[in-house]
Amino acid sequence: MASNEEITGPISQEDVEAADKLKNEANEYFKKQSYNNAIELYTKAIEKNPKNAVFFANRSIANLRLENFGYALSDASKAIELDRSYTKAYYRRAAAYMSLGKYKLALKDFEYVTKVRPNDQDAKMKYTECNKIVKKIAFEKAISFDKKEVNIADSINLDAMTIEDEYVGPALEDGKVTLKFVTDLMEFYKKQNKLHKKYAYKILIDVKAYLQKQPSLVDIKVADDAKFTVCGDIHGQYYDLMNIFKLNGLPSETNPYLFNGDFVDRGSFSVECIFTLFSFKLLYPDHFFMSRGNHETLDMNRMYGFRGEVSSKYTSQMADLFTEVYNWLPLAHCINSRVLVMHGGIMCELLWSDPQPMLGRAPSKRGVGCQFGPDVTNTFLQRNGLDYVIRSHEVKNDGYEIAHDGKCITVFSAPNYCDTVGNLGAFITMNGKDLKPNFTTYEAVPHPDVKPMAYANSFFNMLCQ
C-alpha cells in the first residue's frame, strides 16, 4: 500500500484524468463491498494524483471497513492536510480515532468542524453525540474508582433471583452445567429464546472463578491417536457456530476444541455464542479451551455491539461482569509443546498483531500492535522449539491462509463475515502424533433476520457510512 507520498512538481492533465477514472472504478468496487480491490485502485489513483484529498478520504473509509484503523487514520489525516475544509475527512478520522478508543481526539475533530463551519447542522449533531460518549466514559471511569475494591461477580445475589413458573428453558442441575443443559440450551437459542438471567449469571460467575486459577499460557496435551480442533473468530454468528458442531461433532472429552478469540461483536447473536462456549468450558474444562481475542475487551464491545446486546437482552451490570470475566481469559495455548496458538501474533500485542509477507517488522495497519515477517516467525519458532503457530484475527477468503513457509497459519471461522464479505469459514483438525493441520471449509448458513451490528453504537455506524 502506498504511503502518504511526497508531492513534488506539477501533475499533468493526463494523470489527473487517469486518477479520476481509477477513483470511479474504485468506487464501484466499494459499492460491491470489495474493499481490498477498492483500496488497490484508490492507491493507484493517489500515485497518479497525490494532491486530491478525496482519494485519501475514500481509501480511509475502505480501510475502516476492513478494520485497518491505522491506515484509515493516516489517510484521513492526509486528506485533511490537503484540504482543511473537507468535512468528510474529519468524519473519517473521527471514526478511526473512535475505533482505536481515542474518543477525545475524535471529539476534537468534530469541534474543529463546528468552529470553521458554524452553520453545519450535521457537524453540530456529531459533535454533540461524540461529546455524550466522552462524558459517559468519563462518568463510568469516575464511579469505577468507588468500585475498585468490589468485584461485580461478588456483588451478584443469585439467591434473590427467582425462576418464574412460566420459564420453560434449560436449567442448571444443582447449579452445574450438564450435557443435557448445553444441548437444551443450543436448541433453545436456535428458536431465539433467552436463557434465564439466574443461570446466565451463575455461568459467568463460575467461569470467572475457573479462569482466575489458569495461567495466561495454557499447555494442552493431545494423545498421539487423538483428534484436536482449532477454530478462529466466531463474531456472534451463532448459527454458523452450530454448523461447526454439526460438521465436526459436539465438544466432548474425546472431541476437544480450542476457540481462538473474538467470540463476540459484529454478529448480533453474540450472547448466544458466548454462553454456549462458556457452558462447554464448564462442562469439559480440560478438553475445551478459549483464548482471549481483541474483541474480548471493553472498548471493542462498546463500539461493535456486544455491550449493547448484553444490555438489551439482560442488563448493563451483566455487561460489566462480562468485561470482568474477559480479563481472565488465557492469552495463548501451546499444543504438545510444539504448536503455539494465540489470537493475533507472536509480537507485542498478542491480541492485535498480524503477519506480513515482507521480512522484518512494520507498524500495524490496525494502528495497534505491529506486523511481523517470515524471518521473525522463524526465529521465534527456533528459539522456542516450536513447529508452527496458529492465529486468527483476519478474514480470509478461504477461511484460512498458510503463510511464512507454512509456519504461520491463520484460521477464521465466521463465514460471510457480517453478511457481506462472502468468505468461507474454516477450522483446523490435527492428531496429537504429527500435529499436521487439516482444513475444513464451509459456507454460511441461514440465520434469523437480525442484521450484524444491530446492537452496535449507532453513532459509530453513522460515521462509517
Side-chain angles (χ1 to χ4, degrees):
M1 179 175 174
S3 60
N4 294 345
E5 298 82 354
E6 288 294 320
I7 302 172
T8 56
I11 300 168
S12 69
Q13 185 61 31
E14 182 182 0
D15 279 345
V16 169
E17 292 174 358
D20 285 339
K21 184 179 178 182
L22 287 164
K23 183 260 292 182
N24 292 336
E25 291 177 22
N27 288 350
E28 292 304 310
Y29 275 113
F30 184 89
K31 290 175 186 175
K32 297 173 185 174
Q33 300 174 332
S34 183
Y35 303 123
N36 282 313
N37 288 329
I39 288 170
E40 184 178 343
L41 289 169
Y42 288 136
T43 300
K44 290 180 178 178
I46 289 168
E47 290 168 354
K48 292 284 186 183
N49 180 9
K51 293 183 179 179
N52 193 317
V54 173
F55 301 164
F56 286 97
N58 285 8
R59 192 169 69 176
S60 177
I61 184 62
N63 273 307
L64 275 171
R65 296 288 175 85
L66 291 176
E67 300 188 16
N68 297 337
F69 305 132
Y71 287 170
L73 179 60
S74 176
D75 279 342
S77 295
K78 186 64 179 180
I80 291 167
E81 178 187 321
L82 292 168
D83 184 354
R84 291 284 180 186
S85 64
Y86 190 17
T87 306
K88 193 173 285 187
Y90 287 92
Y91 293 164
R92 301 284 187 262
R93 189 165 74 175
Y97 277 139
M98 291 184 73
S99 300
L100 293 166
K102 299 178 179 180
Y103 305 107
K104 290 182 179 178
L105 290 174
L107 184 63
K108 283 185 178 180
D109 276 344
F110 292 130
E111 184 179 25
Y112 178 81
V113 175
T114 58
K115 285 181 178 178
V116 299
R117 303 182 63 157
N119 297 322
D120 188 330
Q121 296 303 312
D122 183 61
K124 285 182 180 178
M125 182 273 292
K126 288 184 169 68
Y127 172 80
T128 301
E129 291 301 314
C130 188
N131 197 29
K132 287 179 183 176
I133 293 172
V134 170
K135 287 183 176 179
K136 182 180 179 182
I137 293 171
F139 175 74
E140 289 174 353
K141 284 184 177 179
I143 64 174
S144 72
F145 284 112
D146 298 329
K147 299 178 179 176
K148 231 166 191 179
E149 301 304 318
V150 179
N151 281 295
I152 302 293
D154 293 340
S155 69
I156 304 298
N157 185 356
L158 291 174
D159 293 335
M161 299 180 191
T162 57
I163 308 296
E164 298 81 4
D165 291 340
E166 57 267 27
Y167 177 74
V168 293
L172 297 175
E173 297 179 24
D174 295 324
K176 302 293 184 183
V177 170
T178 62
L179 180 58
K180 182 181 186 304
F181 171 83
V182 183
T183 53
D184 287 350
L185 179 64
M186 290 187 291
E187 291 304 313
F188 197 61
Y189 277 156
K190 287 178 185 177
K191 298 171 185 175
Q192 294 184 270
N193 294 312
K194 186 175 77 173
L195 178 66
H196 194 280
K197 66 178 181 180
K198 182 170 185 174
Y199 300 134
Y201 273 114
K202 182 66 164 66
I203 288 170
L204 288 175
I205 291 168
D206 287 354
V207 165
K208 183 191 173 190
Y210 178 86
L211 293 176
Q212 283 180 301
K213 300 174 184 176
Q214 300 304 297
S216 57
L217 170 60
V218 175
D219 287 307
I220 299 173
K221 302 301 179 186
V222 182
D224 284 357
D225 58 348
K227 166 188 165 186
F228 191 81
T229 301
V230 180
C231 297
D233 304 40
I234 297 298
H235 275 301
Q237 297 184 199
Y238 178 74
Y239 296 84
D240 294 308
L241 173 61
M242 292 298 98
N243 189 41
I244 292 174
F245 293 154
K246 180 180 178 181
L247 294 171
N248 195 55
L250 288 178
S252 69
E253 293 181 353
T254 57
N255 193 26
Y257 278 81
L258 165 56
F259 280 82
N260 195 28
D262 282 13
F263 323 115
V264 301
D265 277 338
R266 294 287 191 181
S268 296
F269 303 96
S270 293
V271 164
E272 290 79 2
C273 286
I274 194 63
F275 276 122
T276 299
L277 296 175
F278 276 165
S279 294
F280 274 119
K281 180 61 187 172
L282 292 173
L283 183 61
Y284 303 118
D286 299 323
H287 300 87
F288 190 88
F289 305 92
M290 299 172 69
S291 296
R292 188 177 187 178
N294 66 303
H295 278 266
E296 280 71 59
T297 53
L298 175 59
D299 280 342
M300 300 302 278
N301 293 166
R302 183 186 278 128
M303 198 60 60
Y304 290 99
F306 182 63
R307 188 172 180 84
E309 184 182 343
V310 176
S311 299
S312 174
K313 293 178 178 177
Y314 290 100
T315 64
S316 59
Q317 180 195 47
M318 183 180 286
D320 291 337
L321 179 54
F322 266 109
T323 300
E324 197 170 276
V325 174
Y326 288 160
N327 288 338
W328 290 99
L329 280 166
L331 301 179
H333 293 77
C334 193
I335 305 171
N336 286 358
S337 302
R338 289 168 55 194
V339 179
L340 185 68
V341 187
M342 82 298 283
H343 182 72
I346 55 177
M347 304 300 295
C348 61
E349 296 285 357
L350 282 173
L351 309 185
W352 281 95
S353 295
D354 298 290
Q356 64 178 17
M358 302 81 72
L359 297 177
R361 303 172 179 84
S364 173
K365 60 191 175 185
R366 300 174 187 269
V368 183
C370 70
Q371 295 175 191
F372 56 96
D375 55 327
V376 177
T377 298
N378 195 51
T379 299
F380 178 84
L381 295 176
Q382 287 182 354
R383 285 179 177 173
N384 292 282
L386 299 166
D387 293 355
Y388 62 95
V389 297
I390 297 175
R391 39 92 61 185
S392 302
H393 196 39
E394 290 183 285
V395 183
K396 300 297 177 184
N397 286 338
D398 295 325
Y400 70 95
E401 182 180 77
I402 303 172
H404 295 182
D405 301 317
K407 303 296 186 182
C408 182
I409 297 173
T410 297
V411 59
F412 191 86
S413 301
N416 194 25
Y417 182 47
C418 293
D419 286 0
T420 58
V421 178
N423 61 293
L424 295 174
F427 56 81
I428 299 171
T429 55
M430 63 185 76
N431 64 52
K433 184 175 183 179
D434 59 26
L435 299 177
K436 178 184 176 183
N438 302 292
F439 302 95
T440 300
T441 62
Y442 49 90
E443 295 182 346
V445 297
H447 63 75
D449 188 22
V450 182
K451 303 299 183 188
M453 302 283 282
Y455 300 93
N457 186 291
S458 58
F459 177 58
F460 177 72
N461 277 340
M462 179 176 62
L463 276 178
C464 289
Q465 297 308 308

